[in-house]
Amino acid sequence: MADNTTSESAAAADTAAVGPFDQLLQWMSDGGPVLYVLAAVSVITLAIILVKLFQFSRIGKRQFVEAALQDARAAKPDAALAELTARQNPVARVMATALRGTLDPALSEETVKEEVERVASLELDNLRSGLRSLALIATLSPLIGLLGTVLGMINAFQALESAGSRVDPAILSGGIWVALLTTAAGLIVAIPAAAAHSWFDGVIYRCRRAMEDAATQVFTLGSLQSAKGAPPQAAE
């Protein structure tokens, strides 16, 4: 009786001694190389998400658009350009390019628009950097996890075959749950990657629309000013 109590106490102590980190290491060991690959992919995913969050946090709000337009309407283009160039914002860079172009009489409207499109494309490419990697991770991670599950099931059935007539259901059930670890890990990596990719893509879409709106307002402002300053015959 005393021996049973002692053994139960020792088992309980061993269970309590296994913490979450130790359990994670045990799962990594059971899952094999596939889990280590997914762990490395998860670190890459987290790094990309943090970098993009930092990059998008610098975009901030866009109240400067209206402030710059008010300065331009008040015939203060230098103040408007100073307001825009002080911002670490892709919308501000596109708007500043449009404003400089409209103030330069040597440049035609078509030339200015082409330059604005070029700058906008560069800014959008910079914002999209890393998104293709997130999309690839979201697609491949479940497949990598499924590959690990298939390999684990193969090992489980091989062990069951080696047991011969002395079949122990614990061999099969243990092999199955270990094999399913890789599928779960693949989904754990893929779901945040897919969600982050979708959210970042939405932010970039809204930023592109803001670029188009700001540049259009600058061009409209320049056209109105030209019409006001032109002779009546030219205006007609």
Side-chain angles (χ1 to χ4, degrees), residues 3-231:
D3 293 339
N4 292 337
T5 304
T6 303
S7 61
E8 291 176 359
S9 301
D14 292 339
T15 303
V18 177
F21 184 71
D22 295 331
Q23 184 66 61
L24 179 61
L25 291 180
Q26 182 62 43
W27 286 345
M28 294 290 293
S29 177
D30 294 337
V34 174
L35 270 188
Y36 287 101
V37 171
L38 289 174
V41 172
S42 68
V43 173
I44 296 173
T45 304
L46 181 60
I48 294 174
I49 292 175
L50 291 178
V51 169
K52 300 306 293 183
L53 286 175
F54 175 76
Q55 182 183 17
F56 288 167
S57 68
R58 300 178 65 184
I59 295 177
K61 299 180 180 180
R62 293 186 286 270
Q63 291 88 349
F64 61 86
V65 173
E66 188 59 33
L69 288 173
Q70 289 179 358
D71 289 336
R73 293 189 189 102
K76 299 177 182 178
D78 293 337
L81 287 173
E83 173 72 19
L84 294 173
T85 54
R87 303 284 178 173
Q88 295 294 327
N89 191 298
V91 179
R93 296 189 186 99
V94 171
M95 192 175 177
T97 303
L99 187 57
R100 289 193 194 96
T102 56
L103 293 174
D104 190 347
L107 298 177
S108 65
E109 185 176 349
E110 292 299 324
T111 303
V112 176
K113 287 184 178 181
E114 289 179 1
E115 178 64 14
V116 169
E117 290 178 0
R118 185 189 69 83
V119 173
S121 297
L122 291 176
E123 295 293 338
L124 290 174
D125 288 342
N126 185 39
L127 292 176
R128 292 191 187 104
S129 62
L131 293 192
R132 187 170 296 179
S133 298
L134 276 181
L136 184 63
I137 289 171
T139 302
L140 291 183
S141 293
L143 297 179
I144 296 174
L146 183 60
L147 174 61
T149 297
V150 172
L151 295 177
M153 293 294 291
I154 292 174
N155 291 333
F157 281 109
Q158 284 180 340
L160 194 63
E161 181 185 14
S162 301
S165 59
R166 295 174 289 111
V167 176
D168 186 0
I171 298 176
L172 183 59
S173 60
I176 290 174
W177 82 261
V178 169
L180 290 175
L181 280 177
T182 57
T183 298
L187 293 175
I188 290 172
V189 174
I191 291 173
H197 179 273
S198 178
W199 186 76
F200 292 147
D201 192 56
V203 173
I204 293 172
Y205 174 78
R206 291 190 293 272
C207 186
R208 181 174 65 83
R209 293 297 300 271
M211 289 179 183
E212 294 174 354
D213 180 70
T216 301
Q217 290 188 73
V218 172
F219 288 127
T220 303
L221 181 64
S223 299
L224 290 176
Q225 290 176 347
S226 299
K228 290 178 181 179

